[in-house]
Amino acid sequence: SYIPLARSTSFQQRPGEFDEVASLLFASETESASPQNHVVGLIGMGGIGKTQLAIEIAYEYKERFPAGVFWMAATGTSLSEWQHQFAELAANTEYLPAGDDVSHPENEARRARHLARYLAHYPDALLLLDNVEHIAHLLDALTTLAGAEVHCTILYTSRTDVAPALVRHYRVSKLPDDMALRLLLKRRPALLEQILANGHNQEAKAAHDICHYVECLPLALTLLRDLLQDTNLTLVYLDQQLRQR
């Protein structure tokens, strides 16, 4: 397996989220499935937490994929770009073809094809593709590299839900208010406890206002949480500065 990103101790799981994604990932265990039935997209706007959710899912269900879990940034838009990324993944996993020679002009293509063939033949492997723009084109490229239909399970993140009809989607939603507060105030536990106990002072109101102002997006809340840790800012002041800037 190759998962270069660690789980986050501040991850806020939306109610029933793991169960819903798992029902999509493992639907093929009870259904007659074509290769595309193994493809699940985590869809949502930037900063909503798609990547972190994919990381958590990878670790949570790692044991369900004995052939390995493989993480790859998939920001390309062409076969050559994806070939380069699959070749890098082959190097990161140390799964290299016989006679691997970095000086050979075709070595990158050989590495990419070698890994793609592995994914084609092992349905109990999981390929995680982060920041995908065109999943249909990427799936075609993967099939081209493998020289066969790819049977591994694929979980990808994307801002767009444009995909072949058989690709399953899970739309990542904004955090509920209480989870947004927990993320923002993780390093100010006393204040968090006070607010969750229906505190109504100025700091409590500012905390709620900040969460709503950034639309409860996990990325924004994480950045603000770190800012609050490193300074003596009050939430009232931070709320005022956000609106002024």
Side-chain angles (χ1 to χ4, degrees):
S1 292
Y2 176 72
I3 313 173
L5 305 171
R7 300 186 83 162
S8 171
T9 57
S10 61
F11 176 74
Q12 296 294 319
Q13 181 187 158
R14 299 157 182 84
E17 189 167 53
F18 280 14
D19 290 340
E20 289 188 50
V21 177
S23 70
L24 299 176
L25 281 175
F26 305 118
S28 59
E29 295 178 358
T30 57
E31 298 177 5
S32 172
S34 70
Q36 286 187 327
N37 284 113
H38 297 276
V39 183
V40 176
L42 302 179
I43 309 301
M45 64 189 296
I48 205 165
K50 302 181 296 296
T51 296
Q52 193 60 52
L53 174 58
I55 295 167
E56 298 297 323
I57 292 294
Y59 283 103
E60 185 74 12
Y61 298 108
K62 186 176 180 181
E63 300 305 317
R64 299 283 291 270
F65 298 99
V69 178
F70 307 101
W71 180 280
M72 190 182 92
T75 54
T77 58
S78 67
L79 177 60
S80 62
E81 290 176 291
W82 292 319
Q83 175 179 281
H84 176 72
Q85 291 164 344
F86 278 111
E88 283 191 330
L89 182 57
N92 289 331
T93 59
E94 298 183 1
Y95 184 72
L96 301 173
D100 185 67
D101 179 3
V102 294
S103 66
H104 194 284
E106 291 296 315
N107 200 62
E108 180 177 277
R110 293 180 68 246
R111 285 184 174 186
R113 289 195 297 266
H114 186 62
L115 181 65
R117 288 172 188 143
Y118 180 90
L119 297 171
H121 290 99
Y122 286 91
D124 53 351
L126 174 63
L127 175 63
L128 290 156
L129 301 170
D130 196 25
N131 290 320
V132 174
E133 291 187 37
H134 306 291
I135 186 60
H137 297 168
L138 198 158
L139 293 174
D140 288 343
L142 181 55
T143 301
T144 298
L145 290 170
E149 291 183 338
V150 175
H151 293 282
C152 73
T153 298
I154 296 174
L155 179 66
Y156 73 95
T157 70
S158 181
R159 298 186 184 189
T160 175
D161 59 2
V162 177
L166 292 178
V167 172
R168 303 168 188 267
H169 284 154
Y170 174 77
R171 189 165 294 279
V172 182
S173 61
K174 296 178 183 178
L175 289 176
D177 286 355
D178 62 329
M179 291 185 178
L181 286 169
R182 291 181 188 279
L183 183 54
L184 176 66
L185 299 176
K186 178 176 176 59
R187 291 169 182 150
R188 293 193 178 181
L191 179 57
L192 174 62
E193 183 177 348
Q194 176 191 353
I195 293 174
L196 293 178
N198 296 316
H200 296 292
N201 60 21
Q202 286 186 317
E203 286 289 273
K205 181 180 183 304
H208 283 287
D209 288 346
I210 289 169
C211 289
H212 293 160
Y213 185 74
V214 300
E215 301 182 357
C216 295
L217 293 179
L219 178 59
L221 292 168
T222 299
L223 295 172
L224 292 172
R225 176 203 66 193
D226 294 343
L227 181 64
L228 288 169
Q229 177 192 25
D230 296 336
T231 67
N232 293 319
L233 290 178
T234 65
L235 290 166
V236 170
Y237 180 78
L238 179 59
D239 185 32
Q240 292 171 345
Q241 291 299 306
L242 282 174
R243 296 172 190 279
Q244 289 175 8
R245 297 184 185 187

